[in-house]
């Protein structure tokens, strides 16, 4: 089966090479002819009235998020403080060796040699909680936060911000659920390499429930989608946008500049992805906090200069969220735009983040699920909201945006908003776009690789084939105008929602048990500390 699937990709590759040799217009037309039906099916909008339609994928995403929020008793709220403590390493000791091993024995077992004696029993995994979080964040924090928010506001007005925040809060429960399963059902190779994600919890989890056949089918479908998404939306689109911003910043002539940019970018990406998730995580743990910090700092400076307008901005957001303020589709139209942008920005429910989070070092799967719920909060509730506030405040006089009039290029509009207070910040923003694109590419390379390995097997040759293909598409994405190629790759990313949400809903009772197990472990440690035991975290 694996050889058969690999042969299919080998047959397709010449056509992809041929596509590079033709014009962008021909690529776009031919690709659209063959894939348009798939794109239309994934993004089909269910007409609820003549005024508004809702994409069925959005209904599945938000419906799943609401279900998980209720089923896990508002874990997006109750688990927030615990998530911060986990990321800080407060429970690293019990996650590595188990709470009962370290704190469950009533006799005095605390001595300086305990770490050495327990080393062989330590947890599997390749990265820390913080590294897994930043690796996953690097795939979601990006152009959607800069350009996507501006697009949403242009269509839905300021009120879209409120519903965007709500989508982010609900998405926290989805991320918790899928990332817990990612750790629960991961595979660990003899060399310690971790293989995880929806492919594994769909096949293994459904197998435990006597639905092995269905689970295998869903897993294969997901793997195909994640590979396609990694080449397109997670690669070519990012490379294309980064190249466009770079060329615009330095006013390069059109021609081969994009291709040269793509070659350089491919070399840099290669240096990172060849090292696997450990190197990816080591890079993202530095890039993501830095670029997010610069962006948030700039936003805070603008909000600081205009602090007296913040309450007015929130008033406009709340009013627009429940009135529509003349936006097409009224209240429902505003709601759809906000929820759509929030859900699509943080990818909660898509299943992609579960792949990165599955590589974490821990004995308790729910520990990483709790860490993962921070992702939609940072991505959507914090960064997207700050972008929206900056745009609303700097556009009170309607100088550069008319709400209700859709725009296509959101980066330029966001840059205009920032430049109005911080002159020439658009230069920094361009650099941020390139860094965002780079970090997204390296994270999606890992996602696609996991799907590839699931289909074709584990091995150095198989890994190398995927990485070469991925780097090839970096150059292609930088060189051509994408159009329908991106529509198709985006459709593949959001098609991942279907098998993933089905799997997570079916396996929810298992997630609940894992959450209870981890919370009990935390309680065991706290009880031991209350009784005078030494906190062994510092010895880890």
């Amino acid at each position: 089966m694996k050889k058969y699937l690999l042969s299919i990709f080998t047959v397709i590759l010449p056509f992809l090479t041929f596509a590079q040799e033709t014009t962008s217009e021909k690529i776009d037309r031919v690709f659209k002819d063959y894939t348009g039906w798939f794109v239309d099916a994934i993004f089909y909008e269910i007409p609820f009235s003549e005024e508004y339609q809702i994409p069925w994928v959005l209904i599945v995403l938000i419906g799943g998020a609401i279900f998980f929020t209720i089923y896990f008793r508002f874990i997006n709220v109750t688990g927030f403080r615990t998530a911060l403590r986990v990321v800080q390493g407060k429970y690293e000791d019990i996650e590595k060796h188990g709470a009962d091993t370290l704190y469950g024995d009533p006799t005095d077992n605390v001595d300086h040699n305990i770490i050495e004696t327990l080393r062989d029993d330590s947890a599997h995994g390749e990265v820390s909680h913080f590294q897994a979080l930043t690796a996953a964040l690097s795939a979601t924090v990006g152009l959607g936060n800069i350009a996507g928010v501006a697009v949403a506001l242009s269509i839905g007005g300021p009120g879209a911000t409120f519903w965007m925040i709500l989508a982010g809060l609900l998405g926290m429960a989805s991320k918790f659920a899928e990332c817990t399963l990612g750790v629960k059902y991961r595979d660990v190779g003899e060399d310690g390499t971790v293989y995880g994600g929806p492919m594994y919890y769909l096949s293994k989890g459904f197998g435990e429930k006597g639905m092995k056949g269905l689970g295998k089918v869903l897993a294969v479908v997901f793997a195909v989608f994640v590979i396609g998404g990694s080449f397109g939306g997670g690669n070519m689109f990012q490379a294309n946008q980064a190249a466009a911003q770079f060329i615009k910043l330095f006013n390069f002539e059109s021609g081969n500049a994009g291709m040269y940019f793509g070659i350089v970018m491919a070399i840099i990406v290669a240096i990172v992805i060849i090292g696997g998730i450990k190197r990816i995580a080591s890079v993202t743990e530095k890039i993501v906090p830095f670029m997010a910090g610069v962006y948030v700092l700039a936003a805070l400076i603008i909000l600081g200069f205009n602090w007296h307008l913040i309450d007015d901005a929130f008033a406009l957001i709340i009013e627009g969220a429940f009135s529509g303020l003349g936006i097409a589709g009224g209240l429902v139209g505003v709601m759809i735009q906000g929820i759509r942008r929030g859900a699509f920005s943080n990818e909660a429910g898509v299943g992609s983040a579960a792949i990165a989070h599955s590589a974490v070092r821990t004995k308790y799967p729910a520990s990483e699920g709790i860490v993962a719920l921070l992702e939609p909060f940072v991505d959507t509730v914090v960064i997207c909201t700050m972008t929206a506030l900056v745009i609303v405040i700097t556009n009170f006089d309607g100088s550069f945006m008319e709400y209700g009039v859709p725009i296509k290029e959101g980066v330029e509009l966001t840059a205009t908003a920032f430049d109005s207070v911080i002159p020439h910040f658009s230069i920094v923003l361009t650099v941020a776009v390139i860094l965002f694109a780079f970090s997204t590419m390296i994270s999606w390379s890992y996602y696609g690789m996991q799907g590839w390995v699931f289909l074709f097997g584990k091995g150095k040759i198989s890994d190398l084939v995927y990485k070469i293909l991925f780097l090839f598409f970096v150059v292609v994405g930088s060189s051509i105008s994408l159009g329908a190629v991106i529509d198709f790759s985006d459709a593949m990313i959001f098609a991942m929602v279907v098998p993933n949400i089905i799997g997570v809903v079916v396996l929810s009772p298992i997630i609940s048990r894992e959450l209870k197990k981890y919370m009990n472990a935390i309680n065991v440690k706290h009880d031991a500390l209350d009784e005078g035991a030494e906190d062994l975290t510092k010895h880890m």
Side-chain angles (χ1 to χ4, degrees), residues 307-329:
W307 61 270
H308 57 289
L309 297 176
I310 293 178
D311 56 343
D312 293 331
F314 272 114
L316 196 61
I317 289 171
I318 298 299
E319 182 183 357
F322 295 98
S323 69
L325 290 178
I327 300 299

Side-chain angles (χ1 to χ4, degrees), residues 446-516:
Y446 180 68
Y447 295 169
M449 168 68 102
Q450 292 294 296
W452 184 275
V453 167
F454 183 81
L455 291 180
F456 304 128
K458 304 163 185 174
K460 292 184 178 180
I461 295 179
S462 177
D463 289 2
L464 186 61
V465 170
Y466 172 81
K467 289 174 180 177
I468 291 174
L469 280 173
F470 190 88
L471 296 173
F472 167 76
F473 282 117
V474 173
V475 180
V476 173
S478 301
S479 307
I480 66 174
S481 175
L482 297 173
V485 176
I486 289 306
D487 291 339
F488 177 71
S489 60
D490 280 350
M492 295 199 84
I493 289 176
F494 292 110
M496 292 157 58
V497 168
V498 179
N500 183 59
I501 290 294
I502 291 173
V504 179
V505 169
V506 171
L507 300 175
S508 288
I510 294 173
I511 302 170
S512 186
R513 287 199 294 271
E514 290 297 333
L515 176 60
K516 184 177 181 180

Side-chain angles (χ1 to χ4, degrees), residues 179-202:
C179 292
T180 297
L181 289 175
V183 180
K184 170 70 174 176
Y185 290 105
R186 63 186 176 182
D187 277 352
V188 181
E190 293 181 359
D191 60 352
T193 301
V194 174
Y195 303 92
M199 303 83 67
Y200 295 90
Y201 60 70
L202 285 168

Side-chain angles (χ1 to χ4, degrees), residues 176-355:
F176 158 75
E178 61 193 10
C179 292
T180 297
L181 289 175
V183 180
K184 170 70 174 176
Y185 290 105
R186 63 186 176 182
D187 277 352
V188 181
E190 293 181 359
D191 60 352
T193 301
V194 174
Y195 303 92
M199 303 83 67
Y200 295 90
Y201 60 70
L202 285 168
S203 55
K204 290 182 178 181
F206 274 57
E208 291 179 357
K209 289 182 171 292
M211 297 181 287
K212 186 176 181 179
L214 175 60
K216 190 68 174 178
V217 169
L218 292 175
V220 169
V221 168
F222 183 92
V224 171
F225 288 155
V226 78
I227 292 172
S230 74
F231 287 152
N235 182 348
M236 286 195 292
F237 174 71
Q238 305 297 327
N240 181 270
Q241 293 298 296
Q245 290 298 313
F246 181 80
I247 292 171
K248 180 180 179 181
L249 177 65
F250 292 100
N251 295 316
F252 285 125
E253 295 291 332
S254 60
N256 295 325
M259 183 182 69
Y260 294 141
F261 176 87
I263 292 173
V264 174
M265 181 68 83
I267 293 173
I268 298 173
V269 170
I271 293 172
V272 177
I273 69 173
I274 288 175
I277 185 61
K278 288 184 179 180
R279 186 174 295 172
I280 291 173
S282 68
V283 172
T284 57
E285 75 171 340
K286 298 177 181 67
I287 290 181
V288 173
F290 170 73
M291 63 188 181
V294 170
Y295 187 74
V296 170
L297 178 61
L300 288 174
I301 290 173
I302 294 175
L303 296 178
F305 274 113
N306 297 277
W307 61 270
H308 57 289
L309 297 176
I310 293 178
D311 56 343
D312 293 331
F314 272 114
L316 196 61
I317 289 171
I318 298 299
E319 182 183 357
F322 295 98
S323 69
L325 290 178
I327 300 299
L331 168 61
V332 177
V334 175
M335 186 185 304
I336 291 173
Q337 287 304 319
I339 291 178
R340 180 174 184 169
R341 177 49 50 199
F344 285 6
S345 175
N346 59 54
E347 296 178 14
V350 173
S352 52
I355 300 174

